[in-house]
Amino acid sequence: MRKDICYKCGCELDNTTKTKEHIPPKCLVTNENRGKLIIVPSCKECNNGDSKDIEYFRNWIVTASAHYNKEALEIYNNKVTKSFLYNPSIKGGLRNMISDNKLFSPSGIFLGNHKVIKGEYNRVNPILDSISKAILFHHFGNRDFKFPHGVSPFIVDH
């Protein structure tokens, strides 16, 4: 019988150490869509170890998209604003991450300034990495997947 392993660290899991990791994290979807999430096996440490960064990631991505996405607006109103109430410095931190960037068309025509929220690479990258690993684990059924010849994953850092 195949033993369950953690999608992230690869440790063997038993009934006392096994948890379920939702992908994407439950805090990034509305309650009505939670049943559609991918679930992968995870150890307790990997499942709970990055909860503050997941909250940061949620606040960052939802705040950036709530003005044009109905689901993001619902998450913003129901979850993000609560985190601002519990810890007002979170809101100030997000406010400090907003900056003006010059926006150009693909052909190089200047389109004006555009407000962006720049995330902290060291907090956002591990969450994106975790989500990617979980999706690949779910698809391939193990941690030993190989990318096709010539394909290598990377995250662009501006």
Side-chain angles (χ1 to χ4, degrees), residues 25-148:
K26 287 190 294 187
C27 69
L28 291 175
V29 297
T30 58
N31 290 339
E32 72 181 50
N33 289 319
R34 284 192 177 177
K36 300 174 186 175
L37 298 177
I38 294 170
I39 298 175
V40 293
S42 176
C43 67
K44 290 178 182 178
E45 186 175 324
C46 288
N47 195 351
N48 300 325
D50 56 2
S51 60
K52 289 291 183 190
D53 286 338
I54 289 173
E55 179 184 14
Y56 170 89
F57 181 79
R58 180 206 58 209
N59 291 348
W60 170 68
I61 200 164
V62 168
T63 300
S65 58
H67 70 281
Y68 64 86
N69 181 287
K70 181 181 169 185
E71 190 166 331
L73 180 60
E74 183 178 337
I75 295 167
Y76 183 87
N77 289 333
N78 293 325
K79 297 176 183 177
V80 174
T81 55
K82 287 180 185 174
S83 70
F84 293 163
L85 290 173
Y86 293 131
N87 189 346
S89 66
I90 293 173
K91 188 175 186 177
L94 275 173
R95 189 176 293 123
N96 291 336
M97 294 165 41
I98 297 172
S99 65
D100 283 326
N101 275 11
K102 294 179 179 179
L103 182 65
F104 293 90
S105 73
S107 61
I109 298 170
F110 178 66
L111 301 173
N113 288 326
H114 181 73
K115 294 219 180 282
V116 296
I117 301 176
K118 294 183 178 182
E120 293 177 45
Y121 180 80
N122 63 329
R123 295 189 78 183
V124 170
N125 191 47
I127 304 307
L128 295 173
D129 181 66
S130 180
I131 291 170
S132 300
K133 285 179 181 174
I135 291 170
L136 292 168
F137 182 91
H138 175 75
H139 179 74
F140 291 105
N142 61 52
R143 297 181 76 245
D144 301 323
F145 49 85
K146 302 281 189 259
F147 287 100

Side-chain angles (χ1 to χ4, degrees), residues 12-19 42-45:
E12 286 191 13
L13 303 170
D14 60 33
N15 289 338
T16 62
T17 59
K18 183 178 178 178
T19 64
S42 176
C43 67
K44 290 178 182 178
E45 186 175 324

